[in-house]
Amino acid sequence: MAELLIKNGSVFDPTRSINGDVMDVAIRDGRIVESAGPNAKVIDASGKTVMSGGVDIHAHVAGPKVNAGRTMRPEDKLFKSQAAAGGYRMEMGFSIPSTFRTGYDYARMGYAFVMEAAMPPLHSPHVHEEIHDTPIVDEAALPVFGNNWFVLEYLKRGEIENAAAYIAWLLKASKGYGIKVVNPGGTEAWGWGLNCLTLDDAVPYFQITPKEIVSGLIETNEALGLPHSVHIHQNDLGNPGNYRTTIDTLRLAEGVTAKNRFGREQVIHSTHLQFHAYGGDGWGNFESKAREVVDYVNGQKNVTFDLGAVTLDETTTMTADGPFEHHLNGLNHLKWTNVDVELETAAGVVPYVYSPSIRVCGIQWAIGLELALLCKDMDRCFISTDHPNAGPFTRYPRIYTWLMSRKFRDETIGSFKYSDKVVAATEIAGLDREISLYEIAQMTRSGPAKALGLKDLYGGLSPGQDGNVVIYDIDPANLPSDPSKLEAAFQRAAWFIKTGEVVVKDGEIMNHGNKRTLWVRANVPENPQVKRDIHDKFIKDYTVGLQNYEVRDYLAPNPYVIEVEMEA
Amino acid sequence: MPIVKLTPIAQPELCLDCYAISPDALAGLTESGIADLEVWEGKVRWRLGDFFEVSGDAGRTPDETHVVVDGDASRMKYIGYKMTGGMITVNGSADMYLGGWMKGGKIHVTGDVDSFCGIQMEGGEIMVDGRAQNHVGCAYRGDWRGMRGGTLRIRGDAGNDIGTFINGGTIIVEGNAFIHVSTHGEGGTVIIKGDVQGRVGGQMVKGDIFVLGAIQHMLPGFKKVDTIEKEVDGQPYRLDHYVGDLGERHPSSRGQQVLGNLYVRAA
Ligand SMILES: [Zn+2]
């Protein structure tokens, strides 16, 4: 296989504390190597920024709820779809892009991996079909467990071993990666027209509280030794005053130590924290509580989070938090889809316009950025938009630019209809901090790779890691003063090399790459009770037979399977 | 005003997407530049000159450009797409999306138009001497933002889904209409001079509908409140005034509930 030598770039690799040093990066057989031979193809990166491929820890990019959004919103494609060119596929849509646009746009931004953040297990074959249809970018998917009947029953009885055996079985059956929790208990309560807005609201029938669900799943996750931690969308998302529930949930991690062989240190990953850092007791006095939340996280080493930053776009919200989507539809009166997924979960979809003319949207925008600007450990704070909930993933370059440029933030605040009110309800206007390229690399590379237990593959440029290298046309010694130039350079990489192949050059797709699907096979001791429970529930409660449930191998034709062993 | 005359010399096998036939696309171009503009037949790209003989140079700006399509354009879609000024005359019929997303200027079609005429129009004037198919002045499928301004006049009959999600501007159908008028309407005015079969004003929140003929099947969500004398499109009429759709959510303004108005010619 060809060798590549990327010469004289300004390299940012937080895994080795390399901060803009001018150096070479060599790739052979799809991996980073110490040095290249004389016949290596040379790419001149002088005066440019070099990083490893980006890692997105949380986005909704494949599966039935993304497709429900596509079906429900043909207008998302209007004026936003280009004809195919140069042997590549047509690209369609904005907030719910086609699979091809998804793969191409991640590649153009230099991303090597994205985690599909909420897989309904029953529909995992569809999730994998879409993942397979999305070119270039490696993917994995997190099945949702926070409202699953098996889990609720085992945890109610304190049966961690049974929960672990069931989760191990489901990860294998769905080719899933880890444990996602969405509005623990609340989505199941939605089946009764109710919700769980605090940690102590018991789920009807099951009589288990969100607190017991989260604590039980953290314990199960560490018992299994999974590469990723529990990944949680907390209760009471999107409501004024929810920051208390947020901090209460994070406290459940206190005193728990991560147990795994992947170098992961956190036991809880708190996703789209922007939606969970709200103060006030109604929309009238709605305000930022980013400082309260981040102050807690700063002192709590076993917690990581991603931003869920609002990008001020028209977008499509979608979540397994069914009751929240119903609530949102009551606020904006646009379209609404609701789906129940049998014993497992639910989902809702509602379009949403984050308008710069609406005070609350301006405050939400500020909170997303404040979380990063107030954070003291950028290896635990990751960039996301909870795509497409707070905005499309294609706005990551704009988020980097807001974080890197106080001038750009001030311009945006100045463009709001209610600037004064946004400033009064937040502290964004007083924050001088400008995030560095090194910190961007922590928030999009080394940090999320480690939190996912994938630091051997992604996140850095050490020999042996995947040969994923992006070159941005940004001279660190001379950053453009025009924010839009910085954003444009991040949007369309000068080069992106994915596992040793040039997939992007000058922002154009050159190659469909060698896309992989990652999943975790957790090996647990034989558990006849769980086996019988699964068999019985498929007979009694599911609409499909057990033999039709598993994701067949052909749906994930290029797998990368991570094995873990649970001790008896 | 400089006139660019486009005379059809060939008909496409599939419908042709003619985004280029608008004063905005032509402004500042000479005859040969105009002939080189792209048009699409499915995913196949052609030159405008492959289907039209071009004569005349365009004006400097859209406002100074008059485009005349001299012949049958009933397989030419998107004429006047997003235009902001100037004029288009079609001496014949035009295909779908005539004047779609139009912001200003005037379009006159002497024949008929197909569906989606004036879709999501924001300003300007469209006059069709013949008939229109469905979705006159409607929202794009899925969108909740319909026509916002301008005037759209169909001298003949029109089909279904007229003014879906209309938010502003005026639609006048001088003949009869089929079903679904101002569905989800949030403003603007729709006048049907002839008869309508039914489903008039379904889920209408705000705005005005005038039916100067008869409605065969009234929706149950409308309540008669009055009979009034009113001038409509320059003529006086005696009209029964209904409000609705009472099954829909309605906003309040200064303590008063805002409702849609449906006026139907009184017996
Ligand atoms: Zn999410």
Side-chain angles (χ1 to χ4, degrees), chain A residues 58 60 117 180 272 386 389:
Chain A
H58 187 110
H60 302 273
K180 175 71 183 300
H272 42 67
D386 187 21
N389 284 300

Side-chain angles (χ1 to χ4, degrees), chain B residues 30-81:
Chain B
T30 60
E31 241 173 47
S32 62
I34 293 168
D36 282 339
L37 288 172
E38 68 180 24
V39 290
W40 292 83
E41 186 185 20
K43 62 177 187 175
V44 180
R45 186 201 308 245
W46 296 93
R47 293 165 62 248
L48 189 61
D50 295 331
F51 293 92
F52 295 92
E53 182 190 300
V54 181
S55 73
D57 300 338
R60 205 171 41 84
T61 65
D63 285 336
E64 296 163 295
T65 301
H66 182 183
V67 188
V68 176
V69 179
D70 201 25
D72 180 25
S74 60
R75 294 176 68 74
M76 310 299 185
K77 294 198 285 191
Y78 294 101
I79 292 173
Y81 169 78

Side-chain angles (χ1 to χ4, degrees), chain B residues 14 24 31 56 71 78-79 86 139 158 182 190 214 263:
Chain B
L14 305 174
D24 292 73
E31 241 173 47
Y78 294 101
I79 292 173
S182 296
V190 178
Y263 302 92

Side-chain angles (χ1 to χ4, degrees), chain A residues 56-175:
Chain A
D56 188 348
I57 199 164
H58 187 110
H60 302 273
V61 283
K65 82 187 148 354
V66 182
N67 239 14
R70 292 184 186 119
T71 308
M72 184 167 117
R73 295 205 63 203
E75 76 278 10
D76 188 67
K77 296 187 175 69
L78 182 64
F79 309 137
K80 294 184 181 96
S81 306
Q82 294 96 43
Y88 296 95
R89 296 282 292 260
M90 186 179 181
E91 298 174 57
M92 291 185 290
F94 175 68
S95 66
I96 26 180
S98 60
T99 53
F100 283 88
R101 164 154 285 174
T102 301
Y104 291 167
D105 278 346
Y106 268 111
R108 290 183 181 113
M109 302 189 310
Y111 272 70
F113 177 88
V114 52
M115 177 65 79
E116 159 52 49
M119 171 159 73
L122 180 60
H123 299 308
S124 49
H126 175 183
V127 175
H128 283 283
E129 281 180 291
E130 270 198 45
I131 284 176
H132 174 48
D133 212 33
T134 304
I136 305 173
V137 66
D138 292 346
E139 286 180 89
L142 294 174
V144 289
F145 287 103
N147 294 278
N148 177 301
W149 293 5
F150 293 88
V151 169
L152 299 184
E153 286 171 3
Y154 292 138
L155 293 183
K156 175 67 193 169
R157 299 196 294 261
E159 296 167 4
I160 298 296
E161 260 178 50
N162 289 344
Y166 169 72
I167 287 170
W169 172 79
L170 191 86
L171 289 177
K172 181 166 165 289
S174 68
K175 299 198 195 297

Side-chain angles (χ1 to χ4, degrees), chain B residues 134-208:
Chain B
N134 308 318
H135 297 280
V136 172
C138 69
Y140 185 73
R141 65 198 171 108
D143 210 328
W144 58 89
R145 292 153 293 201
M147 177 169 170
R148 281 195 272 168
T151 304
L152 207 170
R153 186 183 290 269
I154 309 293
R155 290 209 148 134
D157 299 336
N160 50 258
D161 296 276
I162 296 161
T164 306
F165 280 108
I166 186 171
N167 220 328
T170 304
I171 299 174
I172 304 157
V173 176
E174 298 193 359
N176 301 321
F178 178 36
I179 51 167
H180 288 298
V181 178
S182 296
T183 306
H184 290 289
E186 303 220 358
T189 302
V190 178
I191 301 167
I192 312 289
K193 293 198 172 177
D195 302 332
V196 187
Q197 286 200 14
R199 302 182 209 175
V200 178
Q203 294 189 275
M204 180 184 195
V205 173
K206 213 173 125 184
D208 298 315

